[in-house]
C-alpha cells in the first residue's frame, strides 16, 4: 500500500484518503485482494475501498443502532467493531445483534418514561407524520441550573469556534441538547405528566431526542369538553401556506424598497451577511440576505463568517465610514479570484482587467512585485522565455550571451538581473503596467 501511495499513477484521486481507507482491512491479504481487484477495474476511490471492507450503507444503519444502544452494551453482548483509525466509519461486525440491543435499549427507555409518570410514551416513527407540528405540546418550567448553564456556555464556544471540526461541533451540540432535555424533564408537574406523554424521536444519525409534554389530539379534545361542560369549540381557522408565502413576498418587497433609500444601512446589511456564520440547512432564519463568497481566499483558508447576523449588524452599524469600507475591502479581497487553468487565458483579461485598472497603479505594482516569485518562474519556464525576459529587461546583447548559459546559470542570471528592472511576465501585466516590455 505504501509503495502504491508513493507512485503517482496508481490511485485515481486523493491517494492519502485511499491509503487511510485500506486500514479498515482485517489483514494484509484482504488489503491486497481489494487493491488488486479495484486497480484492475480502475475504481481505486476511497469510498469504494471502504465499501469493499464493509463500510457501506448497511453498515451505517448498524452503526446507528450501536450509537443508540451504546458501544459498551453492544460489545458486552458479544459484538465486535473494526475501528476506522482516521475517521468515524467503524465497521460493525454483527448487524442483527446491533439492532437487537438497540431495540432493547429503546424499549427500556419507553418503560422508564412511563415509570417516571408520563401517561404514555411512544416512538416518533409510530405516530402520524405531522405529530411534531400539529399535536399540542405543554410548556415545562425547568431550566438549566448554574453548573449546567456554565457547561452549555463552554459547549457553545466549541460550536462557534472558527475552524473547529464538524465532529467536535456535532458532539457539543448533542451534549447541549441532552443538558437542556434533562433540565426540562425536571420542570414538569404531576398533573401535566398525567395528561400528556413523551415521544422518543431518532434522527438519521442515531441521535435520540425525547419530546416531553405531548398531548394526543383525542386527549386535548376531551380536556376541552371537560373544561367547557360541552362539545369543544371549533378549531381556529388556519392560514394557508400559499397566503403565508404571498405575505412574505410583500414583506421582502417593502423592506427592499426601504433599504434602497438608506444606502449606508444597505452596505452594513450586505457586509453583515458576508460575516454571518452559515449552516447547510439555513432556511433564511440565520441570515435574511442570500449572499456568499467563493473566491480564492475562501478556498485557501476555508474562511466563512463566524458571527450571528444581528451581532454583525450592530457591530458594523457602530463603525465610521473608513472602518466600514475596510471591512468591505477585506470581504471583496476574500472573494477575489483571478486564477486560470490554461495558458490560453490571462488573469487580467476581460472583466478582471477592470478592477486592476481601478486600483492605485503604484500600490498594485508594489504588491505585484512582492508576490512575483522570480526563482520559481525562471526555473519553470523554457529557455526562450528567460531569454526574452533578459532582452526586454536588460538588453539584446546580454540576451544573446545568455543563450550559451546552462539552465542553472541562466536561472541565476535572470533572478539577479531581471526583477530589479521592474519587468514582469506578460501574464501579470495590466493596462497600467509601466515596466520593460
Amino acid at each position: 500500500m505504501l509503495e502504491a501511495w508513493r507512485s503517482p499513477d496508481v490511485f485515481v484521486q486523493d491517494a492519502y484518503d485511499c491509503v487511510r481507507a485500506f486500514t479498515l482491512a482485517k489483514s494484509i491479504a484482504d488489503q491486497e485482494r481489494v487493491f488488486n481487484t479495484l486497480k484492475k477495474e480502475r475504481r481505486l476511490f476511497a469510498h469504494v475501498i471502504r465499501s469493499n471492507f464493509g463500510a457501506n450503507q448497511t453498515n451505517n444503519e448498524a452503526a446507528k443502532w450501536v450509537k443508540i444502544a451504546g458501544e459498551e452494551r453492544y460489545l458486552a453482548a458479544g459484538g465486535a467493531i473494526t475501528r476506522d483509525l482516521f475517521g468515524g466509519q467503524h465497521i460493525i461486525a454483527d448487524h442483527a445483534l446491533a439492532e437487537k440491543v438497540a431495540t432493547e435499549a429503546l424499549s427500556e427507555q419507553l418503560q422508564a418514561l412511563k415509570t417516571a409518570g408520563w401517561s404514555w410514551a411512544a416512538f416518533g416513527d409510530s405516530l402520524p407524520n405531522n405529530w411534531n407540528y400539529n399535536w399540542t405540546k405543554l410548556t415545562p418550567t425547568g431550566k438549566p441550573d448554574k453548573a449546567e448553564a456554565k457547561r452549555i456556555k463552554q459547549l457553545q464556544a466549541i460550536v462557534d469556534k472558527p475552524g473547529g471540526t464538524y465532529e467536535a461541533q456535532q458532539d457539543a451540540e448533542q451534549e447541549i441538547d441532552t443538558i437542556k432535555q434533562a433540565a426540562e424533564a425536571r420542570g414538569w408537574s404531576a398533573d401535566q405528566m398525567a395528561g400528556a406523554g413523551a415521544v422518543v424521536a431518532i434522527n438519521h444519525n442515531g441521535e435520540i431526542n425525547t419530546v416531553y409534554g405531548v398531548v394526543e389530539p383525542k386527549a386535548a379534545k376531551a380536556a376541552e369538553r371537560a373544561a367547557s361542560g360541552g362539545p369543544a369549540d371549533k378549531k381556529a381557522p388556519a392560514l394557508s401556506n400559499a397566503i403565508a408565502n404571498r405575505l412574505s413576498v410583500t414583506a421582502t418587497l417593502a423592506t427592499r424598497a426601504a433599504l434602497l433609500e438608506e444606502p449606508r444601512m444597505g452596505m452594513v446589511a450586505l457586509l453583515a451577511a458576508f460575516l454571518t456564520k452559515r449552516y447547510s440547512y439555513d432556511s433564511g432564519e440565520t441570515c435574511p440576505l442570500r449572499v456568499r463568497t467563493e473566491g480564492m481566499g475562501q478556498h485557501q483558508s476555508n474562511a466563512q463568517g463566524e458571527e450571528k447576523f444581528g451581532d454583525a449588524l450592530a457591530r458594523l452599524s457602530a463603525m465610521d465610514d473608513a472602518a466600514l469600507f475596510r471591512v468591505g475591502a477585506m470581504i471583496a479581497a476574500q472573494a477575489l479570484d483571478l486564477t486560470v487553468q490554461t495558458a490560453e487565458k490571462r488573469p487580467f483579461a476581460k472583466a478582471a482587467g477592470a478592477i486592476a485598472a481601478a486600483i492605485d497603479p503604484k500600490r498594485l505594482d508594489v504588491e505585484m512585485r512582492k508576490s512575483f516569485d522570480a526563482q520559481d518562474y525562471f526555473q519553470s519556464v523554457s529557455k526562450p522565455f528567460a531569454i526574452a525576459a533578459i532582452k526586454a529587461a536588460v538588453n539584446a546583447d546580454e540576451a544573446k550571451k545568455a543563450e550559451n548559459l546552462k539552465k542553472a546559470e541562466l536561472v541565476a542570471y535572470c533572478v539577479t538581473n531581471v526583477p530589479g528592472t521592474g519587468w514582469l511576465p506578460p501574464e501579470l501585466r495590466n493596462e497600467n503596467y509601466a515596466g520593460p516590455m
Side-chain angles (χ1 to χ4, degrees), residues 3 60 63 68 78 129 148 166 168 226 237 292 303 306 346 351 380 419 430:
E3 288 174 2
N60 292 343
I68 291 170
N129 291 334
E148 289 171 331
Y166 174 77
R292 64 181 182 180
E306 292 296 339
R346 292 191 177 185
S380 303
N430 60 77

Side-chain angles (χ1 to χ4, degrees), residues 42-253:
R42 298 189 62 80
R43 297 172 63 232
L44 278 169
F45 298 98
H47 70 280
V48 179
I49 296 168
R50 290 191 180 95
S51 180
N52 271 264
F53 291 131
N56 48 31
Q57 185 57 44
T58 304
N59 185 75
N60 292 343
E61 189 69 16
K64 185 178 81 171
W65 291 123
V66 170
K67 187 171 186 177
I68 291 170
E71 283 190 8
E72 297 81 3
R73 184 167 186 156
Y74 167 72
L75 295 173
I81 299 174
T82 300
R83 303 285 178 183
D84 180 357
L85 303 181
F86 300 95
Q89 294 185 311
H90 310 306
I91 298 175
I92 310 304
D94 192 331
H95 294 187
L97 178 62
E99 184 172 358
K100 177 177 179 293
V101 294
T103 302
E104 291 171 353
L106 289 169
S107 297
E108 291 170 7
Q109 186 167 348
L110 290 186
Q111 185 57 49
L113 289 167
K114 293 176 184 177
T115 302
W118 293 104
S119 65
W120 59 272
F123 296 126
D125 290 345
S126 68
L127 302 178
N129 291 334
N130 62 355
W131 75 266
N132 199 28
Y133 302 99
N134 293 346
W135 288 19
T136 301
K137 298 185 185 71
L138 304 181
T139 303
T141 58
K143 293 181 180 179
D145 59 28
K146 189 175 292 186
E148 289 171 331
K150 181 179 179 181
R151 179 56 180 162
I152 288 174
K153 188 175 181 179
Q154 293 171 340
L155 293 166
Q156 193 60 50
I158 295 174
V159 173
D160 296 335
K161 181 181 179 181
T165 65
Y166 174 77
E167 290 80 8
Q169 290 173 337
Q170 287 290 98
D171 290 343
E173 287 179 344
Q174 187 174 354
E175 188 176 344
I176 290 173
D177 288 341
T178 301
I179 293 172
K180 288 182 176 179
Q181 284 184 31
E184 181 182 291
R186 298 193 298 265
W188 297 102
S189 68
D191 287 342
Q192 285 179 315
M193 296 175 75
V199 179
V200 178
I202 306 167
N203 69 11
H204 66 283
N205 290 323
E207 294 162 354
I208 298 174
N209 178 40
T210 304
V211 183
Y212 302 96
V214 180
V215 181
E216 292 181 288
K218 60 183 179 182
K221 290 179 180 179
E224 288 178 4
R225 285 195 298 270
S228 64
D233 293 336
K234 290 183 178 180
K235 188 176 181 181
L239 194 69
S240 72
N241 290 336
I243 294 175
N245 174 257
R246 292 203 295 272
L247 291 176
S248 70
V249 171
T250 299
T252 302
L253 294 174

